[in-house]
Amino acid sequence: MTADKQKTGWITAGLLLGLILSSLDQTIVSTAMPTIARQLGGLSLYSWVFAVYMLASTATMPIYGKLADLFGRRIMYLTGLFLFLAGSVLCGLAGDMTHLIVFRAVQGLGAGALMPVAFTIIGDILPPERRGSFKACSVRYSPYPASPGPRSAGISSNTQAGDGFSSSTSRSAFPPS
């Protein structure tokens, strides 16, 4: 295998991993959200956790596309990945629903870069006749997060300290006001 093909393989694997990570996040959050909302005492704000994520990610997709054209695909993809991961960590530290909603917005800002910039990068590094193989891989691997995501969310929300997420939220870096 030539160095160029090997580099393309690593790039493709990294982009697929980012797409799978984003899908896995959605399946975990949707399963664990009732327990999280109950623990954080914000059942009335339940739908905002999903709405703000979708709004932020959808609104930033075309912005990331333009910024990727101006500043480069790699830097914009890494910026989106960093925001997504930082938002994920902050969501885990949220002490109340307001913080969780704000941090999901941060996560959504990052998620807006993952899919469009990933497909743009593939368009840049693969010849037209090979681009379909990446799309096939992304479709083939997209169902995998649907299985472990809800399962791991259910296990963690039912077994963590015996009563869901209370042990992680009680030591939160952002205590409720």
Side-chain angles (χ1 to χ4, degrees):
M1 182 181 274
T2 66
D4 197 35
K5 281 188 177 186
Q6 187 175 15
K7 184 178 176 184
T8 301
W10 281 109
I11 293 171
T12 303
L15 295 173
L16 279 173
L17 189 61
L19 294 174
I20 290 170
L21 181 66
S22 178
S23 297
L24 185 62
D25 169 71
Q26 289 299 322
T27 59
I28 289 173
V29 170
S30 62
T31 303
M33 198 59 222
T35 303
I36 296 169
R38 190 171 44 254
Q39 294 289 326
L40 296 179
L43 213 48
S44 63
L45 300 172
Y46 182 87
S47 62
W48 278 100
V49 174
F50 299 103
V52 75
Y53 178 89
M54 291 304 294
L55 180 65
S57 65
T58 303
T60 57
M61 282 183 182
I63 296 169
Y64 277 116
K66 181 63 176 176
L67 291 174
D69 290 341
L70 295 174
F71 301 110
R73 318 262 194 252
R74 180 180 180 181
I75 190 69
M76 294 318 305
Y77 185 80
L78 292 176
T79 299
L81 190 59
F82 173 77
L83 281 172
F84 180 81
L85 294 174
S88 298
V89 169
L90 290 171
C91 284
L93 299 173
D96 61 358
M97 284 297 282
T98 305
H99 284 117
L100 181 62
I101 291 167
V102 170
F103 299 148
R104 283 289 286 177
V106 171
Q107 198 177 30
L109 291 174
L114 295 181
M115 187 176 296
V117 179
F119 283 105
T120 306
I121 291 170
I122 288 301
D124 287 345
I125 65 170
L126 293 179
E129 62 272 6
R130 294 210 35 235
R131 292 178 194 159
S133 63
F134 177 79
K135 182 63 178 168
C137 284
S138 68
V139 169
R140 185 173 71 197
Y141 292 120
S142 63
Y144 290 125
S147 178
R151 190 172 300 127
S152 63
I155 290 169
S156 66
S157 65
N158 288 329
T159 61
Q160 188 174 12
D163 61 343
F165 287 89
S166 65
S167 66
S168 63
T169 57
S170 65
R171 296 186 308 266
S172 174
F174 304 98
S177 355

mmCIF file of all heavy atoms in Angstrom, residues 20 69 85 90-91 124 149 156 174:
data_model
loop_
_atom_site.group_PDB
_atom_site.id
_atom_site.type_symbol
_atom_site.label_atom_id
_atom_site.label_comp_id
_atom_site.label_asym_id
_atom_site.label_seq_id
_atom_site.Cartn_x
_atom_site.Cartn_y
_atom_site.Cartn_z
ATOM 1 N N ILE A 20 -19.729 8.476 13.462
ATOM 2 C CA ILE A 20 -20.269 7.475 14.377
ATOM 3 C C ILE A 20 -20.393 8.050 15.782
ATOM 4 O O ILE A 20 -21.373 7.809 16.486
ATOM 5 C CB ILE A 20 -19.410 6.194 14.350
ATOM 6 C CG1 ILE A 20 -19.606 5.469 13.010
ATOM 7 C CG2 ILE A 20 -19.741 5.278 15.506
ATOM 8 C CD1 ILE A 20 -18.650 4.326 12.772
ATOM 9 N N ASP A 69 -14.286 26.640 3.209
ATOM 10 C CA ASP A 69 -13.764 27.152 1.942
ATOM 11 C C ASP A 69 -12.739 28.262 2.171
ATOM 12 O O ASP A 69 -11.748 28.359 1.452
ATOM 13 C CB ASP A 69 -14.896 27.697 1.069
ATOM 14 C CG ASP A 69 -15.798 26.604 0.522
ATOM 15 O OD1 ASP A 69 -15.368 25.428 0.501
ATOM 16 O OD2 ASP A 69 -16.935 26.929 0.126
ATOM 17 N N LEU A 85 -16.803 17.741 21.345
ATOM 18 C CA LEU A 85 -16.273 17.019 22.504
ATOM 19 C C LEU A 85 -16.292 17.871 23.768
ATOM 20 O O LEU A 85 -16.609 17.374 24.856
ATOM 21 C CB LEU A 85 -14.863 16.515 22.208
ATOM 22 C CG LEU A 85 -14.769 15.444 21.119
ATOM 23 C CD1 LEU A 85 -13.315 15.127 20.812
ATOM 24 C CD2 LEU A 85 -15.534 14.198 21.510
ATOM 25 N N LEU A 90 -18.863 19.128 29.015
ATOM 26 C CA LEU A 90 -19.634 20.091 29.800
ATOM 27 C C LEU A 90 -21.034 19.579 30.118
ATOM 28 O O LEU A 90 -21.546 19.831 31.213
ATOM 29 C CB LEU A 90 -19.702 21.435 29.063
ATOM 30 C CG LEU A 90 -18.385 22.205 28.989
ATOM 31 C CD1 LEU A 90 -18.512 23.398 28.050
ATOM 32 C CD2 LEU A 90 -17.943 22.641 30.370
ATOM 33 N N CYS A 91 -21.640 18.856 29.195
ATOM 34 C CA CYS A 91 -22.956 18.259 29.469
ATOM 35 C C CYS A 91 -22.858 17.287 30.640
ATOM 36 O O CYS A 91 -23.764 17.214 31.471
ATOM 37 C CB CYS A 91 -23.498 17.534 28.241
ATOM 38 S SG CYS A 91 -24.135 18.630 26.974
ATOM 39 N N ASP A 124 -12.603 16.125 -1.571
ATOM 40 C CA ASP A 124 -11.285 16.659 -1.926
ATOM 41 C C ASP A 124 -10.229 15.571 -2.098
ATOM 42 O O ASP A 124 -9.351 15.693 -2.946
ATOM 43 C CB ASP A 124 -10.799 17.633 -0.843
ATOM 44 C CG ASP A 124 -11.547 18.950 -0.859
ATOM 45 O OD1 ASP A 124 -12.240 19.243 -1.853
ATOM 46 O OD2 ASP A 124 -11.431 19.684 0.144
ATOM 47 N N GLY A 149 -25.655 2.349 21.873
ATOM 48 C CA GLY A 149 -25.998 3.646 22.454
ATOM 49 C C GLY A 149 -27.098 3.557 23.497
ATOM 50 O O GLY A 149 -26.887 3.883 24.671
ATOM 51 N N SER A 156 -26.087 2.846 32.316
ATOM 52 C CA SER A 156 -25.486 3.896 33.153
ATOM 53 C C SER A 156 -26.544 4.672 33.918
ATOM 54 O O SER A 156 -26.328 5.042 35.066
ATOM 55 C CB SER A 156 -24.637 4.843 32.320
ATOM 56 O OG SER A 156 -25.428 5.578 31.425
ATOM 57 N N PHE A 174 -20.835 22.793 37.952
ATOM 58 C CA PHE A 174 -21.789 23.867 37.782
ATOM 59 C C PHE A 174 -23.008 23.583 38.654
ATOM 60 O O PHE A 174 -24.030 23.125 38.164
ATOM 61 C CB PHE A 174 -22.213 23.996 36.316
ATOM 62 C CG PHE A 174 -21.042 24.183 35.407
ATOM 63 C CD1 PHE A 174 -20.499 23.118 34.716
ATOM 64 C CD2 PHE A 174 -20.476 25.436 35.249
ATOM 65 C CE1 PHE A 174 -19.414 23.292 33.887
ATOM 66 C CE2 PHE A 174 -19.388 25.606 34.414
ATOM 67 C CZ PHE A 174 -18.852 24.545 33.735
#
